[in-house]
Amino acid sequence: MDLPPDEPLDDPEARVYQGLDIVHGYHLTLDDEPLKPVDDSTPSDLRYSGLTDQVRTDNGKLILLRSSQSADLDTCRTETRYATIIDLKILSKGSRFCVLTDSGHVGVATYRGTAPETDPSAYITLDVTVWRDAIERAAAS
């Protein structure tokens, strides 16, 4: 049964992934189930660079949320302060940012911190909530 054009579709179900350790050079693709850091050459939805201390996206947009903003699907859909790179130096534990992918997925990442100095690898820890197929896909170029 087709819905009338003025009736919105239901929001997709949120999937929550906690304690994801993302090592330097690894990335997340929000389409993956389960969501886990991978090391391959595909464009990333969210990548961590330990060399530059940044998180970045290759195929989407990032939006650093203000502490007063809700970290939810509606906020990520409507906020327009887009970036492709966020420096870790401006994040504190509990900082949140949206990830909008060209493939139509939306995520909210909560920054939990970096590896302890005594750890032999460089990584960040994130909690990530994902809504798959929540926005329109980007047009192919």
Side-chain angles (χ1 to χ4, degrees), residues 2 4 10 12 25 37 50 54 73 84 88 91 110 116 121 124 129 131-132:
D2 292 332
D10 292 333
Q54 297 173 327
L73 180 58
T84 55
L88 293 187
L91 299 178
T110 302
S121 61
I124 61 171
T129 301
W131 295 269
R132 293 190 174 91

Side-chain angles (χ1 to χ4, degrees), residues 9-13 73-74 77 131:
L9 296 174
D10 292 333
D11 287 342
E13 178 184 341
L73 180 58
D74 287 337
R77 283 176 170 161
W131 295 269

Side-chain angles (χ1 to χ4, degrees), residues 39-93:
D39 180 23
D40 61 29
S41 61
T42 60
S44 63
D45 295 337
L46 184 63
R47 178 178 302 278
Y48 166 59
S49 171
L51 299 176
T52 59
D53 279 336
Q54 297 173 327
V55 291
R56 59 182 58 224
T57 183
D58 298 325
N59 44 308
K61 300 174 186 121
L62 305 175
I63 304 164
L64 181 60
L65 296 173
R66 295 182 176 102
S67 59
S68 62
Q69 288 183 289
S70 296
D72 59 24
L73 180 58
D74 287 337
T75 301
C76 292
R77 283 176 170 161
T78 58
E79 184 59 65
T80 58
R81 293 177 293 105
Y82 303 127
T84 55
I85 296 171
I86 298 175
D87 290 323
L88 293 187
K89 67 183 175 192
I90 66 171
L91 299 178
S92 57
K93 288 184 180 179

Side-chain angles (χ1 to χ4, degrees), residues 1 23 38 59 61 72-73 99 103 112:
M1 175 173 109
V23 178
V38 294
N59 44 308
K61 300 174 186 121
D72 59 24
L73 180 58
V99 181
S103 57
R112 296 295 177 205

